[in-house]
Amino acid sequence: MTQLDSLRIKSLESYHREYDLSVQDPKKFWADKAKSLEWFTPFQEVLNWNFQEPQVRWFEGGTLNASYNCLDRHLAEHGDEEALVWEPNDPTSPTRHYTYRELHAEVEATAALLKEMGVSKGDRVCLYMGMVPELAIGVLACTRIGAIHSVIFGGFSAQSIADRVNDAQAVAILTCDGAYRGAKSIPLKSVVDQALEQCTSVQRVLVLKHIGGDCPMNTNRDRDWLEKLNALKKEGRAHCPAEPMNSEDPLFILYTSGSTGKPKGVVHSTAGYLLWSQYTFLNVFQYQRPQLHFCTADIGWITGHSYIVYGPLLVGGRTLMFEGIPTWPDAGRFWDIVDKHTVDILYTAPTAIRSLMACGLEPLQSKSLASLKVLGTVGEPINAEAWHWYHEHIGKSELPIVDTWWQTETGGILISNLAGVTEAVPTFATLPLPGIQPVLVDENGQILEAAEARGNLCIRYPWPGMIRSTWGDHERCRQTYFSTYPGLYFTGDGCNRNAQGQYRITGRVDDVLNVSGHRIGTAELENAINQHPNVVESAVVGYPHDIKGQGIYAYIICQSLPVESGTARKAILDTVSHLIGPIAKPDKIQFVSGLPKTRSGKIMRRILRKIAEGEWEQLGDTSTLLDPTVVQDIMQSRL
Ligand code: WTA
């Protein structure tokens, strides 16, 4: 593993040295780091780029394979060491352990099965599953044959699946009969069946029988995953070589919400993404084999991609996958898992910390947590109270906490302290990783040069793990990320920088909400609400929420007034669940007779946000409104 060791930043001095090198000569810097991947063919050109189109191409001419880098290359030296630990939803059910050799065998077999089902290089495969090992195996099996995976979070509705499958024109879906979530089980396969009524591209559905019981199968289309896999193994056909892929071949698509329209498919490429997830995992968490890394995210989100599957396996580490939820059977579940498996690194989200904090200290009694060495947080700004609770009660006031800022589009962590190496500052993500050149800009696009500044966060030079395109619509990628401030990648986040050059991300500045760490576009949500036959118009804003970070406040105009609010509210919530999924359900619905609009018809969200936040005195200028009396009405009936 000497190649990996050459990536390590071990001291503050080495961080500064590496950072400076990465800015002075980025091509040389990354050419050097890229040697830590296993290449079938070496690359010829380090980087080709412009942010106008945008075009970003790293390591061209080289070929490699993701599953080979995650698995095969570790077999000789530590094939019999553990790669994946799976903790089931039910704490009394058996845990599963896979060594690298075992995981490799399962991935090979599943890749062979995908091929047999007719999936080829370049095809898109959607995965709609619970947090079972086969999800990670399925993802890696896709990469082995060069198919592009697109994981759809198991909480999304049939309509959301259909939108994603159709956009990607997926040829196959991998799913489970159902998934466990705490005391509940969720029937995933029937949701897929419903979705596929609207999709023509899908030829095959591979179904993992996980919860048992009735699971209707369409004999022309559906196949039993384990049955097929066992047959292949028995026949000795469960082998599949790793397909050499070009550096810039897409590795996966992950759909994410933006401020306009339907979710877009963020496209990541092979070599750059792999290098980025490997490099950031090793350095931010200061990971050392054979530590056990427990990332509590779902593989349906980017955090699960980069820090449950790719990062840990690329470095030959041990990753823990947890099927259940933090509060079942009780609020001590995370801590039980930490003790049971002697977890070294815990990576979770502020919303989880806040909800466990709200359960008091009782669930922590009799838990040791002595194995923990590093704590991490991701997904939204962490408030000081949650940071201190995490530090004091989980970290025993000793462990480093890494506050990692990044996005689906960035592939991996961009701004974070490095555990025990650079300084941790509560509520600050602090310093950029080598290769990341953050800039703050004002509304006019002026770059703020002063050390202390507050503005919109942009990045001014490509890094290997960045977004390459939005699937099927490159122009949308340009528009969304590269047109607001020409020559810069715009993150959509607001940010402060202190005199020490440390960054504090304050939250989205566009019309995207961050609810329990999940991104929800207000436009998408309003479209869903407006589908309800009784809704004329709606406007959705965020407001501070103790547990979720942001709650969803919906102002809705109905056709038939006065509204019988109980039933109308339920009907609207059902519509949202049906069209997007339960995560997007508004916390508060206020029925209104009008919305504050400018004379040109634009909804003044600023005002609605202030009302939702209860900040009456700071409504600001309302004189440009078409009908200022609307505001009085809304304030009077505010929830
Ligand atoms: C927010 C999740 C503050 C931010 C990896 C970003 C954060 C959005 C942090 C991306 C953090 C993520 N501090 N804010 N440490 N991490 N965010 O695409 O607003 O689901 O733009 O990726 O989450 O969310 P996404």
Side-chain angles (χ1 to χ4, degrees), residues 290-513:
Q291 289 180 334
L292 181 62
H293 181 74
F294 176 18
C295 167
T296 69
D298 191 290
I299 294 179
W301 310 113
I302 190 71
T303 306
H305 282 60
S306 303
Y307 301 111
I308 296 178
V309 182
Y310 288 107
L313 296 179
L314 282 163
V315 306
R318 293 165 65 225
T319 185
L320 188 146
M321 226 178 130
F322 172 43
E323 184 184 23
I325 57 171
T327 48
W328 190 84
D330 59 52
R333 189 67 196 276
F334 276 180
W335 324 128
D336 286 335
I337 295 174
V338 168
D339 284 352
K340 176 173 169 189
H341 298 284
T342 57
V343 166
D344 296 274
I345 304 172
L346 176 69
Y347 189 29
T348 193
T351 186
I353 298 168
R354 285 190 301 264
S355 73
L356 294 173
M357 197 167 108
C359 298
L361 295 177
E362 211 267 327
L364 275 162
Q365 268 164 23
S366 78
K367 311 286 152 87
S368 149
L369 306 185
S371 59
L372 287 173
K373 296 179 184 62
V374 172
L375 304 177
T377 159
V378 61
E380 53 177 311
I382 184 163
N383 50 311
E385 204 191 350
W387 193 98
H388 287 290
W389 188 87
Y390 198 30
H391 187 240
E392 183 177 338
H393 297 289
I394 309 306
K396 314 289 185 201
S397 303
E398 280 183 355
L399 301 186
I401 297 180
V402 288
D403 181 349
T404 66
W405 173 83
W406 58 296
Q407 312 178 297
T408 303
E409 295 84 347
T410 70
I413 298 162
L414 295 201
I415 303 181
S416 173
N417 50 316
L418 311 181
V421 169
T422 65
E423 186 193 12
V425 182
T427 76
F428 277 69
T430 73
L431 299 174
L433 274 274
I436 301 307
Q437 303 184 35
V439 291
L440 299 183
V441 293
D442 66 17
E443 296 94 77
N444 308 318
Q446 286 299 315
I447 293 184
L448 304 167
E449 303 286 356
E452 274 183 90
R454 161 189 294 240
N456 290 345
L457 177 62
C458 296
I459 314 287
R460 76 166 138 206
Y461 195 87
W463 63 100
M466 75 185 295
I467 180 174
R468 296 300 194 271
S469 188
T470 42
W471 185 260
D473 188 356
H474 191 65
E475 171 59 13
R476 192 159 174 211
C477 175
R478 193 190 66 79
Q479 277 275 338
T480 312
Y481 307 106
F482 298 91
S483 70
T484 318
Y485 304 111
L488 301 173
Y489 166 82
F490 176 42
T491 65
D493 279 324
C495 184
N496 301 341
R497 181 172 56 211
N498 66 15
Q500 289 75 48
Q502 294 164 321
Y503 291 85
R504 176 175 199 228
I505 285 77
T506 49
R508 305 289 304 193
V509 292
D510 52 6
D511 288 323
V512 174
L513 308 182

Side-chain angles (χ1 to χ4, degrees), residues 9-23:
I9 301 169
K10 295 181 183 146
S11 64
L12 187 59
E13 300 71 55
S14 121
Y15 163 74
H16 286 300
R17 199 172 49 240
E18 293 285 296
Y19 186 81
D20 291 346
L21 287 174
S22 78
V23 174

Side-chain angles (χ1 to χ4, degrees), residues 259-278:
S259 49
T260 55
K262 294 230 183 221
K264 49 193 173 297
V266 171
V267 179
H268 281 288
S269 74
T270 304
Y273 172 84
L274 293 178
L275 179 57
W276 196 251
S277 49
Q278 173 174 286

